[in-house]
Amino acid sequence: MTATAPETGTSGPGSQPPGRRERKKQRTREALVDAAFTLFAEKGFDATTVEEIADAVDVSSRTFFRYFASKEDVALTFQEEQTRAVLGKFAERPPDEPIMTALRHTVVEIARACEAGELGFDTGRFECMLSMMSDSPTLMAGSLEHAQKKQALLTEVIAERMGLDPAKDLRPHVVAAASTCAFQAAADATRRLGGTFATLSETVDQAFAILENGLNEPAPPRD
């Protein structure tokens, strides 16, 4: 089936409050996300089908594709929420704070909020997402693609804070790429080495501390 462009049901800054039709769309979208994560937790990501998600909300698969391009798109709504939260909190950091320090505080705060169910995050979805990343190569690939797309947006925000033109200066690109990789490395270490790295927020904090302190470690002495 060919998917249509997904409907977000959101409104932009300065727009009128959503009408009844838009509110109904938003409720349907949220119901699909809720049903999807319930099924993901019960059956796993790969074993869950679009048809099952749609049936759980008593809508057709055709209706599902009005809101989401795929079941990967549904699962990655959690990462969309994380991205929005990171950008929002990053904008609130003190303007004189060093760039990597600001990013470290921001990302750690969002990771802790995901773990604690704060700032509107659902801990059940968070834990389900971590589990699915470990079990589904398909979703992991989608997550990495999502991160690459969002990296361009992060680059723009970082460049604005640094007062640099990203079309002429490489530094915002490097900072954004390093931050994205640090988060991914921390998430991977948490999933695979849970006994060593207890929580995502703690591991993210360690990863960004490495970036803050610099990576040019001296070579070990030779015997």
Side-chain angles (χ1 to χ4, degrees):
M1 178 180 292
T2 301
T4 58
E7 300 177 1
T8 61
T10 58
S11 54
S15 61
Q16 294 295 321
R20 180 181 299 176
R21 184 169 179 269
E22 289 302 316
R23 292 197 301 271
K24 183 178 180 181
K25 287 182 178 180
Q26 188 62 27
R27 286 195 298 269
T28 301
R29 186 180 190 277
E30 282 300 317
L32 287 167
V33 174
D34 286 340
F37 272 90
T38 297
L39 287 164
F40 294 154
E42 292 175 354
K43 302 182 60 175
F45 176 79
D46 290 331
T48 300
T49 66
V50 167
E51 289 74 17
E52 288 173 326
I53 297 170
D55 286 345
V57 184
D58 197 22
V59 298
S60 66
S61 297
R62 184 183 182 88
T63 297
F64 173 93
F65 285 115
R66 291 180 188 152
Y67 294 87
F68 300 101
S70 63
K71 66 175 181 177
E72 288 86 354
D73 198 21
V74 182
L76 293 175
T77 55
F78 194 90
Q79 284 189 240
E80 287 285 346
E81 294 170 3
Q82 286 180 317
T83 299
R84 287 195 295 269
V86 165
L87 294 176
K89 289 297 180 181
F90 182 60
E92 297 174 2
R93 297 304 306 173
D96 58 345
E97 195 170 47
I99 188 69
M100 197 55 70
T101 301
L103 285 164
R104 178 184 181 182
H105 285 306
T106 298
V107 178
V108 171
E109 180 179 358
I110 298 307
R112 287 175 178 161
C114 290
E115 293 164 348
E118 299 171 347
L119 301 179
F121 286 104
D122 186 313
T123 55
R125 290 185 188 179
F126 173 66
E127 292 169 0
C128 180
M129 193 69 188
L130 290 180
S131 176
M132 288 192 296
M133 289 296 182
S134 299
D135 298 336
S136 175
T138 301
L139 186 58
M140 174 61 76
S143 175
L144 293 175
E145 182 180 359
H146 175 276
Q148 288 178 337
K149 291 178 180 177
K150 295 303 179 183
Q151 186 173 306
L153 178 59
L154 182 59
T155 299
E156 293 178 7
V157 174
I158 289 171
E160 182 178 357
R161 182 184 178 92
M162 297 175 74
L164 301 174
D165 182 355
K168 300 178 180 178
D169 198 305
L170 189 60
R171 284 173 289 178
H173 299 272
V174 173
V175 172
S179 300
T180 300
C181 289
F183 182 85
Q184 290 172 349
D188 185 55
T190 303
R191 287 192 298 268
R192 294 189 298 106
L193 305 170
T196 303
F197 302 99
T199 65
L200 178 61
S201 58
E202 292 173 359
T203 314
V204 165
D205 194 32
Q206 292 180 46
F208 275 83
I210 293 170
L211 294 182
E212 270 192 287
N213 295 329
L215 291 169
N216 199 24
E217 296 286 340
R222 295 184 178 180
D223 295 333

